[in-house]
């Protein structure tokens, strides 16, 4: 548990971070603007509503089509979330928080107040606002008929959780926050290359290839530019860049990808590949992971 002083420090940091992100949104998309259009991904047994927030964040409303129960992932914009809940006419019961950073967890407490009912707030870090259901690796929960398995993926933060969602008919998605992005991964703010290797290669790569990947930010073009830098002859990367350019030209989301996709083009999930190791001037996967992240931290995208 965190001490009172640590809680005060975290509160001050969260307030400063909130000011920064709000200023960035105002600068990039305006007061009422959105970086991406709201989109629905309709499957047989579940729906995922893609909700843009701030300057490049994504929130996700997960709906069980059978029971109409719903959960929201990283609701940093509570007003937007409740508008979507009303539009879909569903019963919101859960908040799934990937990590404590304000642009993911900063709306939890306000949403709890606005809902005027009790919500279960899941997460793996005591620094998450409103947390009342702390989870760890392999803990499970339900959204109606949908099964959710918690994957503990520390590195970007020490308490990061990814949420793997399975429908009874075999449809599956994973909500990866700032651990796995399309074509990239999160910065190692509170962890190590070994931890990110475990998260990406041992846990997320082990999910079925057709698992849809919903990440926390619209970073695809920037990340794929770096992926092209690492593997300039990878045709999957080049095709995805052209596709993503067309999507972004109409303010359409580039999520989701799939686990199979990420294995084909994401350098951080390809650290066993000879071409990626050669670029990193390494011969082992974990040093390759460390080298790639160090280079990516200072890389300027060329699109």
């Amino acid at each position: 548990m965190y001490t009172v002083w640590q809680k005060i420090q975290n509160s001050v940091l969260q307030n400063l971070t909130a000011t920064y992100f709000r200023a960035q949104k105002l600068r990039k998309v305006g007061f009422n603007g959105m970086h991406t259009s709201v989109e629905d991904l309709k499957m047989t047994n579940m729906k995922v509503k893609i909700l843009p927030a701030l300057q490049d964040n994504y929130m996700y409303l997960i709906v069980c089509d059978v029971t109409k129960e719903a959960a929201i992932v990283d609701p940093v914009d509570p007003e937007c979330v409740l508008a979507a809940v009303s539009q879909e006419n569903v019963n919101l019961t859960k908040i799934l928080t990937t990590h404590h950073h304000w642009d993911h967890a900063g709306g939890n407490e306000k949403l709890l107040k606005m809902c005027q009912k009790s919500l279960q707030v899941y997460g793996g870090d005591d620094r998450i606002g409103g947390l009342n259901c702390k989870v760890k690796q392999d803990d499970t929960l339900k959204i109606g008929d949908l099964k959710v398995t918690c994957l503990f993926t520390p590195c970007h933060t020490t308490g990061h959780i990814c949420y793997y969602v399975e429908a009874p008919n075999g449809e599956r998605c994973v909500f990866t926050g700032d651990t796995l992005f399309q074509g990239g991964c999160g910065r190692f703010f509170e962890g190590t290359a070994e931890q990110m290797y475990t998260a990406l290669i041992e846990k997320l790569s082990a999910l079925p290839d057709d698992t849809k990947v919903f990440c926390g930010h619209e970073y695809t073009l920037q990340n794929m530019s770096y992926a092209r830098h690492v593997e300039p002859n990878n045709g999957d990367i080049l095709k995805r860049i052209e596709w993503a350019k067309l999507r972004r030209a109409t303010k359409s989301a580039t999520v989701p990808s799939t686990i199979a996709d990420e294995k084909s083009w994401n350098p951080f999930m390809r650290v066993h590949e000879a071409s990626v190791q050669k670029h990193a001037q390494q011969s082992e996967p974990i040093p390759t992971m460390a080298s790639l992240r160090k280079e990516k931290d200072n890389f300027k995208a060329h699109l």
Side-chain angles (χ1 to χ4, degrees):
M1 296 293 291
Y2 283 84
T3 66
V4 172
W5 175 238
Q6 285 174 317
K7 289 179 179 179
I8 291 172
Q9 287 180 309
N10 186 55
S11 177
V12 171
L13 180 60
Q14 294 286 344
N15 287 333
L16 291 172
T17 306
T19 301
Y20 167 79
F21 278 111
R22 286 169 178 149
Q24 287 293 96
K25 179 185 186 295
L26 187 62
R27 183 175 69 86
K28 291 187 177 182
V29 298
F31 186 76
N32 291 315
M34 293 192 299
H35 61 81
T36 301
S37 301
V38 174
E39 294 186 26
D40 293 336
L41 181 65
K42 181 72 174 67
M43 291 166 272
T44 304
N45 286 171
M46 66 172 148
K47 176 193 283 188
V48 176
K49 198 172 190 72
I50 303 170
L51 302 173
L54 301 176
Q55 73 268 25
D56 52 34
N57 279 73
Y58 283 124
M59 311 177 291
Y60 299 104
L61 185 68
I62 308 167
V63 178
C64 171
D65 271 346
V66 176
T67 66
K68 298 304 177 183
E69 185 177 342
I72 185 68
V73 180
D74 292 347
V76 67
D77 185 343
E79 290 85 358
C80 175
V81 170
L82 291 181
V85 168
S86 176
Q87 180 185 25
E88 296 296 324
N89 192 26
V90 293
N91 178 28
L92 181 66
T93 62
K94 296 175 176 66
I95 296 172
L96 309 183
T97 312
T98 59
H99 62 294
H100 78 277
H101 287 163
W102 183 87
D103 60 319
H104 295 261
N108 285 7
E109 291 170 312
K110 185 175 181 181
L111 182 57
L112 287 170
K113 291 177 182 177
M114 292 177 68
C115 265
Q116 299 180 337
K117 67 174 185 177
S118 61
L119 296 176
Q120 294 171 307
V121 182
Y122 293 86
D125 194 317
D126 290 325
R127 292 172 289 182
I128 290 170
L131 182 72
N132 54 35
C133 296
K134 191 172 183 181
V135 292
K136 60 186 184 303
Q137 175 68 28
D138 293 330
D139 281 352
T140 61
L141 56 125
K142 299 283 281 186
I143 306 168
D145 291 343
L146 308 177
K147 178 185 176 183
V148 183
T149 303
C150 301
L151 305 177
F152 183 50
T153 55
C155 183
H156 184 68
T157 66
T158 56
H160 198 292
I161 298 286
C162 296
Y163 297 94
Y164 177 53
V165 182
E166 300 171 276
N169 68 344
E171 294 168 334
R172 44 211 165 205
C173 306
V174 63
F175 298 84
T176 58
D178 285 4
T179 291
L180 171 63
F181 296 123
Q182 188 166 163
C185 71
R187 289 178 182 256
F188 302 176
F189 284 137
E190 298 178 1
T192 65
E194 288 86 352
Q195 288 178 315
M196 189 59 81
Y197 179 87
T198 297
L200 296 183
I201 308 303
E202 296 179 359
K203 293 182 179 179
L204 293 173
S205 288
L207 298 178
D209 278 349
D210 63 353
T211 303
K212 292 178 174 62
V213 178
F214 292 91
C215 58
H217 291 267
E218 181 55 67
Y219 286 167
T220 300
L221 280 173
Q222 301 96 307
N223 285 338
M224 296 305 280
S225 178
Y226 177 67
R228 180 179 60 191
H229 172 69
V230 175
E231 292 187 282
N233 298 316
N234 185 324
D236 291 327
I237 294 171
L238 302 179
K239 290 176 185 176
R240 194 63 169 185
I241 288 174
E242 293 310 308
W243 175 87
K245 284 181 178 178
L246 292 174
R247 294 286 294 176
R248 295 310 297 151
T250 59
K251 280 194 167 184
S252 299
T254 62
V255 293
S257 59
T258 67
I259 291 295
D261 290 334
E262 296 306 323
K263 290 177 182 178
S264 76
W265 63 47
N266 189 326
F268 297 95
M269 294 186 81
R270 293 172 56 78
V271 293
H272 285 274
E273 297 293 327
S275 55
V276 177
Q277 291 184 0
K278 181 179 179 182
H279 174 86
Q281 299 182 319
Q282 301 291 339
S283 58
E284 297 294 333
I286 292 176
T288 298
M289 181 78 73
S291 178
L292 292 176
R293 186 65 258 179
K294 183 177 181 181
E295 181 182 45
K296 177 66 165 59
D297 285 348
N298 298 299
F299 180 78
K300 303 298 181 185
H302 301 285
L303 302 172

